[in-house]
């Protein structure tokens, strides 16, 4: 039997959680040769999510949970889930049924029989998402798959590789691409959220996009240097022109507009450059604190490390 952990980050999902659990159970019922376990990561929900999870775990011994002391964000929840997972395979999925559980058998087939390191789901995406991936792929050596979601089924080596990346500001989609391995992408149509509401807003998305680019690329810094060089060059030419003009025609008093334009333009360029530098410095600052990604308040997983060792010793078990 292959141990398979289904990791589910949950944040205020009391309404849809039982439905998610039941639908997923149905979808995996036909998968023979796999031993499934759910690991819910309660990311500091302020509603009854933890209670719902506990009730599930009382009925089903294969429902495990890790509960954070507050909301640490989905990235931290994903990391906690991967750390808690001890399976041969690890499936990461959302709890709102936007990641159709019906894909699980096909994903497992890809990693188990077809030799892929991981299988992921990809969907048709809108303009902004495509623009972000396009920009990211231009700026960074780590190429993202268009429409890729973090609904993935990973093999043990893939998970171990992800766990070796211990940065605290995590951009999982990028990390999943960074570790490499052969990944099979399955197309799917994303349904509307079953229950509850999405936790994203424009501010969060903007931060996510800048996190994505700054974690894998320093090209913005190089661009700043290029802009600086171009401005210097233009300024030098302009200085020459002005000097020659002054030399031939004498001192010309008007020049108010030119002065103002140059001043404002340079001011803008400098502030932008400092801003981009600041984005990186801020991240260095946060990273240097080396704080844990999350704090666990409660869990029903015991001796996880030992379980993992046993598994590694007897992969056929
Ligand atoms: N989630 C989380 N922590 C957060 C925000 C979201 O664990 O701070 C979980 C959420 O419960 C869900 C998954 O991450 O299971 C995806 O969230 P959501 O559906 O809000 O994102 P979207 O589908 O809109 O990208
Ligand atoms: Mg969703």
């Amino acid at each position: 039997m292959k141990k398979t952990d289904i990791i589910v980050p949950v944040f205020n999902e009391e309404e849809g959680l039982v439905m998610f659990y039941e639908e997923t159970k149905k979808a995996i019922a036909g998968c023979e040769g796999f031993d499934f376990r759910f690991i819910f990561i309660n990311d500091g929900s302020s509603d009854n999510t933890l209670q719902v999870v506990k009730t599930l775990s009382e009925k089903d011994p294969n429902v495990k949970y890790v509960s954070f002391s507050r909301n640490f964000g989905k990235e931290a929840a994903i990391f906690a889930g991967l750390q808690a997972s001890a399976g041969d395979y690890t499936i990461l999925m959302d709890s709102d049924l936007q990641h159709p559980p019906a894909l699980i058998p096909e994903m497992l087939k890809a990693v188990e029989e077809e030799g892929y390191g991981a299988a992921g789901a990809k969907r048709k995406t809108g303009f902004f998402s495509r623009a972000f991936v396009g920009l990211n792929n231009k700026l960074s050596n780590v190429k993202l798959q268009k429409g890729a979601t973090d609904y993935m089924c990973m093999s043990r080596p893939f998970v171990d590789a992800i766990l070796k990346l211990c940065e605290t500001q995590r951009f999982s989609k990028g990390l999943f691409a960074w570790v490499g391995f052969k990944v099979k992408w399955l197309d799917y149509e994303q349904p509307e959220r079953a229950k509850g509401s999405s936790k994203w807003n424009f501010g969060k998305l903007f931060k996510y996009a800048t996190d994505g680019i700054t974690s894998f690329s320093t090209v913005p810094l190089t661009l700043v240097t290029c802009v600086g060089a171009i401005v210097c060059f233009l300024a030098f030419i302009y200085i020459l022109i002005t000097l020659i003009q002054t030399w031939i025609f004498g001192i010309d008093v008007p020049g108010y507009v030119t002065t103002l334009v140059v001043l404002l333009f340079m001011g803008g360029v400098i502030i932008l450059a400092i801003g981009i530098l600041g984005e990186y410095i801020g991240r260095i600052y946060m990273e240097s604190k080396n704080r844990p990604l999350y704090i666990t308040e409660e869990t029903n997983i015991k001796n996880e490390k030992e379980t993992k060792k046993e598994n590694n010793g007897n992969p056929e078990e």
Side-chain angles (χ1 to χ4, degrees), residues 9-11 13 43 71 73-74 94-96 98 193 198-200:
V10 285
F11 175 52
E13 302 278 6
D43 185 12
N71 179 251
K74 189 182 173 188
D94 286 358
S95 64
D96 54 4
Q98 283 190 306
R193 222 172 196 286
S198 172
K199 314 297 182 294
W200 290 96

Side-chain angles (χ1 to χ4, degrees), residues 5-65:
D5 286 334
I6 302 179
I7 302 176
V8 196
V10 285
F11 175 52
N12 293 349
E13 302 278 6
E14 60 174 4
E15 289 170 77
L17 208 55
V18 174
M19 192 159 104
F20 163 82
Y21 169 77
E22 279 163 5
E23 290 292 315
T24 311
K25 274 290 230 195
K26 266 186 237 161
I28 57 180
C31 298
E32 273 167 32
F34 298 94
D35 233 354
F36 289 97
R37 198 165 70 139
F38 286 86
I39 305 178
F40 291 100
I41 313 297
N42 174 37
D43 185 12
S45 302
S46 52
D47 65 0
N48 272 325
T49 303
L50 181 59
Q51 212 40 57
V52 177
V53 172
K54 280 184 176 169
T55 315
L56 286 176
S57 74
E58 278 155 20
K59 287 186 211 146
D60 179 351
N62 284 321
V63 171
K64 304 285 171 195
Y65 61 86

Side-chain angles (χ1 to χ4, degrees), residues 32 37-38 44 62 91 100 133 137 183 189 192 250 261 265 271:
E32 273 167 32
R37 198 165 70 139
F38 286 86
N62 284 321
I91 298 170
V133 171
N137 289 359
V183 179
E189 293 279 337
E192 286 295 309
V261 167
F265 177 70
I271 293 173

Side-chain angles (χ1 to χ4, degrees), residues 160-176:
D160 286 339
I162 299 286
L163 289 176
K164 280 199 194 112
L165 309 176
C166 45
E167 57 216 77
T168 53
Q169 297 159 81
R170 303 181 74 81
F171 176 67
S172 285
K173 264 179 212 166
L175 300 178
F176 295 167

Side-chain angles (χ1 to χ4, degrees), residues 244-259:
I244 292 168
Q245 266 180 344
T246 317
W247 185 46
I248 298 175
F249 304 110
I251 292 177
D252 196 9
V253 179
Y256 174 70
V257 175
T258 331
T259 317

